[in-house]
Amino acid sequence: MIWLATRLAFHNRARLLVTLFGVVFSAYLTLAETALYIGMMENATSIIRHSGTDLWVASKGVQNFDFAKPFPDERLKLIHGRAELSWAKPISLSWGFLKLPDGAQELVEIIGYDPAAPVGGPWDMASGAPGDVGGGANMIVDESAAQRLGKLRLGSLWELNDRSIKLVGVSRSAKTFTTAPIVFTSYVLAQDMTPDVSRQAAAAYIAIKLRNPADVERVAKALRHDLPDNEILTTSAFVERTILYWTVQTGMGAAFCLTAVLGLVVGAGTIGQTVFANTMEHLGEFATLKAMGATARDLNTIILAQAAIDACVGFSIAVPLALLSKAPLEKTGVTLAVDLKLIAALFCVTLAVALAAAYFSIRRVQNLDPATVFRS
Amino acid sequence: MRPMLEARALSKHYQQGSIAVAAVDSVSFSVLPGEIALIIGPSGSGKSTLLSMLGCILRPTSGAILLAGRDVGRLSDRELPRIRGRCFGFVFQSFHLFPFLTARENVETALRLRKVSARVRRERTVDLLARCGLEDRMDFYPASLSGGEKQRVAIARALVGDPFILLADEPTACLDSANGEIVFEMLRHFAQEKGKAVVIASHDPKARRFADRVYSLADGRIEVMTD
């Protein structure tokens, strides 16, 4: 019966084209919105997820990585010497202005870390090494910032917060939700450059790496006891909290969700309308099939297969379009996180919505009296 | 000889407000293997309703329908499509061909519904269409066929599944005289050669020449029966 459905779907080419236009638009909208949302959440949590940290010591009530409230870094002493810790290093986070060659200034997020430690710094380098920021006024800038900052040439001198600083490395995939370029420096230099004196000798986080990551919950509990004025978060808990903040508290999640759902509704409407119009146009043929002995299952298969064909063809056009728009969008700093898992998941959702949209056609054919074939 | 198809006191009543209208009223009818039974009567006399009930498409209000001695009137909704597909072939006044399929595909559809293999489907379809004189029209869509060709395709579709009974509703109403003759010849050939039963509802006076029995229907009742 799928054969019959295919012939029926492709019989009226003009209608098929109109349907596909609607389905492609809807699938693209849903795919792009979801990928955009995931991309933003990946950016918002990229440093948390990749900086090699098992536990984060943060100020109480921290909501996300970018908006940290500093606390005295001497609290580090309270946990030093714990046998379970492999590393415990402070990370500073501040905002500054990087002067561009044309004299303009660009707001950047400055992350200060200990270049000797394997936590808190860049994790994927295009050139240079994370340890290169040590021993002077050096910085590593993420390659995603090249669009805004211009050419990132190793050894070039820049001006950050009115201080000369040398570019010693270029990192990859270090982004934030705000899309502001990330500049990595040593913790010491970052402290020194902070114009706010109250923030000097203050850490945004203490990044902890455990000897045995399996002990994470037990160590977190112990640290909560040692540092009652701080919040101790596992990496996964910090990721969840950051996502929750950007999704719920800013209302951004609802906006993205609404657009993605609207995309699905447009798709469902288009497919439902087309399949219904096709069904109504061919009621005589459905009645004939019923008279000829087609079962309810045969007829349902014809209708559902038409909806599935519309969804599959439309979706398979929308996916390359989304992939094609990935690179141009990413040049503007927007991450479109399209991967196989997302494509598979959204395909299932699109297919399910398309099949559900065929409900009214199925009802119409189920109630169709095959005796109408004898009435001319 | 046992009738291939038999109706016993078959009635179909429709409720119109508080009044029950009898479309078919206590009709008894039978057709033997190899016979052509003709039902004649004016428009609105109940011919189509009777054919629908005989073909297990419409459930009677009362009475029995026996198919080779088996009462099929009380079969479940799940069983009826199977009986229709295996035992009956239908030919309709306005052909009811699928416009988006070629002549060959139209005929094959009947076999696809019965899950017949592709090779057998193709062989039987091509053979039957050739015997209907349509060997050079097999890949034409209905829109490109004449009325007579369309009805021959419809007859081929009805016969390709080798049904026991063929029910034809005004099969020549949309055809000219010459094509009408061809269609009746085909139906007679099917009945006599294969020993199958054919029931025709028709206004066409030529139909009497081909019929073994003639039932005259008026106001839902059989008035005259001639052998």
Side-chain angles (χ1 to χ4, degrees):
Chain A
M1 289 300 103
I2 290 171
W3 162 82
L4 204 59
T6 312
R7 299 302 301 270
L8 200 54
F10 287 90
H11 174 59
N12 189 334
R13 300 265 164 86
R15 179 176 289 163
L16 181 70
L17 277 177
V18 172
T19 307
L20 287 182
F21 183 80
V23 178
V24 168
F25 171 76
S26 124
Y28 179 83
L29 194 64
T30 308
L31 189 60
E33 282 296 309
T34 314
L36 213 56
Y37 169 77
I38 293 172
M40 283 180 162
M41 292 306 114
E42 279 183 358
N43 288 351
T45 58
S46 75
I47 295 171
I48 308 172
R49 286 180 294 117
H50 293 115
S51 61
T53 306
D54 294 318
L55 279 172
W56 295 81
V57 177
S59 55
K60 283 271 185 198
V62 65
Q63 295 294 330
N64 69 82
F65 181 85
D66 297 308
F67 304 149
K69 193 177 158 212
F71 57 89
D73 60 9
E74 62 187 11
R75 287 186 196 167
L76 189 62
K77 292 175 190 161
L78 297 173
I79 57 171
H80 253 318
R82 269 195 167 274
E84 307 95 320
L85 312 191
S86 175
W87 294 89
K89 294 289 176 185
I91 294 177
S92 69
L93 195 150
S94 58
W95 297 84
F97 285 98
L98 191 70
K99 204 168 186 179
L100 304 184
D102 64 0
Q105 299 207 67
E106 184 74 37
L107 182 70
V108 295
E109 189 167 341
I110 306 165
I111 296 173
Y113 67 101
D114 182 346
V119 288
W123 55 93
D124 184 11
M125 298 298 293
S127 56
D132 293 348
V133 293
N138 301 322
M139 69 173 181
I140 292 171
V141 177
D142 195 79
E143 67 177 4
S144 59
Q147 185 79 11
R148 291 194 191 174
L149 305 182
K151 199 170 178 189
L152 301 173
R153 192 166 42 79
L154 284 194
S156 58
L157 285 175
W158 297 69
E159 214 173 279
L160 178 61
N161 284 357
D162 299 325
R163 288 185 57 169
S164 179
I165 191 164
K166 189 160 87 173
L167 181 72
V168 293
V170 177
S171 66
R172 284 198 199 102
S173 348
K175 296 174 184 173
T176 67
F177 180 83
T178 61
T179 72
I182 291 184
V183 170
F184 290 100
T185 68
S186 68
Y187 182 74
V188 176
L189 181 70
Q191 294 280 301
D192 203 28
M193 280 196 303
T194 303
D196 184 352
V197 180
S198 69
R199 292 199 167 201
Q200 288 177 355
Y205 303 101
I206 295 172
I208 295 172
K209 192 162 180 64
L210 301 177
R211 289 189 198 285
N212 180 8
D215 288 340
V216 68
E217 290 299 339
R218 188 177 59 77
V219 178
K221 197 174 170 188
L223 292 182
R224 278 180 200 122
H225 182 262
D226 291 349
L227 297 167
D229 295 328
N230 284 87
E231 194 141 0
I232 315 296
L233 294 164
T234 61
T235 291
S236 59
F238 199 12
V239 166
E240 274 172 32
R241 187 175 290 192
T242 300
I243 290 175
L244 200 68
Y245 172 80
W246 290 116
T247 305
V248 177
Q249 297 208 20
T250 63
M252 194 192 76
F256 272 94
C257 184
L258 186 68
T259 317
V261 169
L262 275 178
L264 285 174
V265 170
V266 169
T270 311
I271 291 177
Q273 202 179 0
T274 304
V275 173
F276 193 71
N278 248 348
T279 304
M280 294 304 287
E281 191 179 309
H282 295 289
L283 273 183
E285 283 83 56
F286 280 108
T288 306
L289 282 168
K290 266 188 158 181
M292 286 167 66
T295 60
R297 190 179 171 172
D298 290 330
L299 299 170
N300 292 350
T301 304
I302 294 171
I303 295 168
L304 290 173
Q306 279 183 80
I309 288 166
D310 289 340
C312 290
V313 176
F315 196 82
S316 55
I317 296 172
V319 169
L321 286 180
L323 292 174
L324 281 174
S325 54
K326 189 175 155 75
L329 274 174
E330 287 190 350
K331 271 188 184 168
T332 66
V334 177
T335 306
L336 207 60
V338 188
D339 62 8
L340 209 59
K341 253 202 287 193
L342 177 69
I343 291 171
L346 283 183
F347 173 71
C348 293
V349 172
T350 306
L351 190 61
V353 166
L355 295 180
Y359 170 77
F360 291 106
S361 297
I362 288 175
R363 282 290 303 270
R364 183 69 190 85
V365 170
Q366 274 174 354
N367 295 329
L368 178 64
D369 179 6
T372 54
V373 289
F374 285 114
R375 295 170 204 143
S376 302
Chain B
M1 192 189 291
R2 189 167 66 180
M4 184 71 91
L5 184 64
E6 189 179 359
R8 288 183 188 163
L10 207 57
S11 296
K12 183 69 188 178
H13 296 170
Y14 291 104
Q15 205 66 32
Q16 285 186 345
S18 56
I19 305 162
V21 179
V24 172
D25 193 10
S26 197
V27 166
S28 292
F29 165 100
S30 68
V31 56
L32 296 171
E35 263 191 356
I36 292 181
L38 175 67
I39 302 168
I40 56 169
S43 293
S45 59
K47 297 193 300 292
S48 296
T49 307
L50 179 58
L51 275 188
S52 297
M53 286 192 289
L54 292 175
C56 299
I57 288 174
L58 194 63
R59 284 188 185 280
T61 310
S62 62
I65 300 163
L66 304 177
L67 178 63
R70 183 188 176 197
D71 187 354
V72 291
R74 312 239 179 281
L75 290 178
S76 71
D77 286 344
R78 286 173 72 93
E79 288 170 301
L80 282 177
R82 196 172 53 83
I83 291 288
R84 285 201 297 269
R86 288 180 186 276
C87 302
F88 291 94
F90 296 95
V91 177
F92 312 107
Q93 178 178 344
S94 34
F95 322 125
H96 286 300
L97 295 177
F98 305 115
F100 47 88
L101 301 180
T102 63
R104 186 171 55 76
E105 290 166 338
N106 260 286
V107 177
E108 270 192 40
T109 307
L111 296 176
R112 280 181 184 266
L113 287 172
R114 294 170 63 174
K115 319 280 188 262
V116 174
S117 74
R119 189 181 56 80
V120 175
R121 269 199 324 256
R122 190 168 180 85
E123 277 173 12
R124 284 166 70 171
T125 302
V126 169
D127 175 56
L128 195 55
L129 281 170
R131 283 200 277 139
C132 292
L134 294 165
E135 57 269 70
D136 55 346
R137 289 284 189 272
M138 288 187 198
D139 295 320
F140 281 54
Y141 285 91
S144 309
L145 300 173
S146 70
E149 287 169 337
K150 282 180 196 168
Q151 196 59 297
R152 278 186 276 159
V153 173
I155 290 172
R157 185 177 67 183
L159 300 184
V160 75
D162 200 21
F164 299 124
I165 299 148
L166 191 129
L167 300 176
D169 183 31
E170 302 284 4
T172 57
C174 298
L175 306 179
D176 58 29
S177 179
N179 274 306
E181 287 275 341
I182 293 170
V183 165
F184 283 129
E185 279 294 350
M186 286 173 72
L187 297 180
R188 181 158 70 180
H189 184 71
F190 170 71
Q192 290 179 349
E193 189 194 329
K194 302 255 183 179
K196 305 294 171 80
V198 175
V199 180
I200 303 170
S202 180
H203 279 105
D204 192 338
K206 285 193 299 294
R208 285 174 177 270
R209 280 200 290 119
F210 296 88
D212 300 297
R213 296 173 192 225
V214 179
Y215 294 89
S216 177
L217 202 63
D219 296 327
R221 300 179 75 94
I222 297 274
E223 289 198 331
V224 187
M225 192 198 97
T226 52
D227 283 322

